[in-house]
Amino acid sequence: MGVCPSCSSASGIFFYRSELQPPKPPDVFLLKFCCRNRRGLLHDVTVVLCELELTIKRVKVSTTPDGRVMDLFFVTDTRELLHTKKRQDDTHDQLKSVLGDAMISCEIEMVGPEIAACSQGSSFLPLAITEDMFNSGKDDKCPSGSLTSNSVSITMDNSLSPAHTVVQIVCRDHKGLLYDIMRTLKDYNIQISYGRFTTKQKRDCELDLFMQADGKKIIDHSKQNALYSRIRMELLRPVRVALVSRGPDTELLVANPVELCGKGRPLVFFDITLALKMLNTGIFSVIPDQHTIAAQNEIKYSFGWSLKPA
């Protein structure tokens, strides 16, 4: 006995058409709240939004002379429930529990497609910033078939396995190490069949990755060299940081790579605001944008936050 779906098309293509449709982009909501300013405020709010599984797409922070701050967060909801009153009330209550009497008002509303598109930011980045932050990763490959530096060693070998290319990486440990490597391999459409990961003295890491591209070893030298350079760059500078003087203020620029699917490095905004809170640095404004850098294998970068200490 067989069961087949009810479908007017004899071929059955119509039944599966919904699976072939691109996913609908998530709804964007504007979280707008006003409160009295204090050190560490932005990070405290970021913690609440992360706990609520709200993804921050863009932030606008404005500080008034009387010590008040107006924060605009463009967010998406992982649970897809922010359009409901209960979800909005929960968000309001959690922010109130953290900010206390300092919170003056809090509003949440869904924004239209025009405003949602603007929340993605522009695609222009000043040339001086791109050259300083992104072009310093260029390095020549070593003649021995590996790349080495003071903290990173990468070796690629096609003789250790009959069906796989083995990439051996020795580097210093850092937060998001596996993410940086796996994201890079994903962008190159490389599949990992097996891997070993070890740490020494909780500081140095050694990885052996058995990988294939399209089910075969990576034989092409140009692809090997591109993979060498890209992995090394991401391990040496997973996040790009620069300080720019703006008259009496100092601007902190932070950039991190964006996956081909459009997702950026997880919790970067969280980590930046935490570091500034620990340094007791007041934040005057925040301008996160996403930019495309047409250089170094067409890598796409997310230009982080313009932060001015008060």
Side-chain angles (χ1 to χ4, degrees):
M1 180 179 70
V3 178
C4 43
S6 174
C7 181
S8 59
S9 172
S11 64
I13 295 178
F14 178 79
F15 178 78
Y16 296 102
R17 185 176 299 173
S18 60
E19 297 182 5
L20 301 177
Q21 296 294 327
K24 177 188 174 183
D27 294 326
V28 178
F29 293 83
L30 173 59
L31 170 62
K32 177 174 60 176
F33 70 91
C34 177
C35 65
R36 286 184 287 275
N37 195 16
R38 60 174 172 80
R39 297 295 173 95
L41 171 66
L42 186 59
H43 177 70
D44 294 340
V45 175
T46 303
V47 171
V48 173
L49 298 183
C50 289
E51 292 175 347
L52 289 168
E53 299 181 49
L54 298 177
T55 302
I56 301 173
K57 307 297 289 185
R58 187 172 172 83
V59 183
K60 177 62 177 177
V61 175
S62 301
T63 306
T64 62
D66 61 354
R68 297 187 181 188
V69 59
M70 174 63 72
D71 288 355
L72 304 178
F73 284 84
F74 291 89
V75 300
T76 58
D77 186 8
T78 304
R79 303 179 191 175
E80 299 183 350
L81 294 172
L82 198 53
H83 62 282
T84 64
K85 185 178 186 302
K86 182 180 185 306
R87 180 72 161 149
Q88 293 183 10
D89 290 342
D90 290 342
T91 302
H92 178 278
D93 293 342
Q94 291 210 35
L95 286 172
K96 182 68 175 179
S97 65
V98 172
L99 302 178
D101 295 336
M103 190 171 78
I104 300 173
S105 64
C106 178
E107 301 176 8
I108 302 175
E109 60 179 320
M110 184 185 299
V111 298
E114 300 82 4
I115 300 179
C118 294
S119 70
Q120 302 302 317
S122 64
S123 60
F124 173 75
L125 192 62
L127 180 60
I129 296 177
T130 62
E131 291 178 348
D132 176 63
M133 299 180 69
F134 305 116
N135 291 343
S136 60
K138 293 183 178 179
D139 293 280
D140 297 329
K141 69 183 183 65
C142 298
S144 60
S146 66
L147 282 177
T148 60
S149 70
N150 294 334
S151 58
V152 176
S153 173
I154 304 172
T155 304
M156 186 175 294
D157 197 315
N158 279 311
S159 64
L160 297 177
S161 172
H164 298 84
T165 294
V166 181
V167 175
Q168 298 175 316
I169 302 174
V170 180
C171 63
R172 293 288 179 88
D173 192 13
H174 66 256
K175 183 177 182 179
L177 172 64
L178 289 179
Y179 169 83
D180 293 327
I181 296 174
M182 298 306 171
R183 171 182 49 77
T184 301
L185 298 178
K186 177 183 177 183
D187 287 349
Y188 278 87
N189 196 27
I190 293 176
Q191 298 79 41
I192 298 177
S193 301
Y194 178 74
R196 292 192 293 261
F197 179 87
T198 58
T199 59
K200 294 182 178 180
Q201 300 177 350
K202 298 182 179 180
R203 187 176 65 175
D204 297 328
C205 300
E206 295 183 3
L207 296 92
D208 297 322
L209 303 175
F210 293 73
M211 58 184 64
Q212 293 179 329
D214 299 324
K216 302 177 182 178
K217 290 185 176 183
I218 306 174
I219 304 296
D220 186 270
H221 289 290
S222 62
K223 293 182 180 179
Q224 290 182 6
N225 294 338
L227 187 59
Y228 274 137
S229 300
R230 176 71 182 277
I231 293 178
R232 182 180 186 277
M233 182 182 68
E234 299 301 342
L235 292 181
L236 286 176
R237 304 186 71 191
V239 177
R240 286 70 166 167
V241 180
L243 287 174
V244 180
S245 177
R246 303 294 188 191
D249 300 321
T250 300
E251 188 173 16
L252 173 66
L253 303 175
V254 181
N256 67 285
V258 175
E259 298 179 33
L260 294 180
C261 64
K263 294 182 179 180
R265 186 182 182 87
L267 296 179
V268 171
F269 192 83
F270 180 96
D271 293 335
I272 294 297
T273 55
L274 174 60
L276 293 174
K277 179 179 179 179
M278 294 174 64
L279 292 171
N280 197 29
T281 300
I283 301 174
F284 177 79
S285 65
V286 182
I287 310 174
D289 286 313
Q290 181 170 310
H291 305 267
T292 300
I293 310 298
Q296 293 187 353
N297 301 324
E298 301 288 331
I299 300 175
K300 190 178 183 183
Y301 288 92
S302 174
F303 173 56
W305 296 266
S306 171
L307 305 171
K308 297 182 179 180

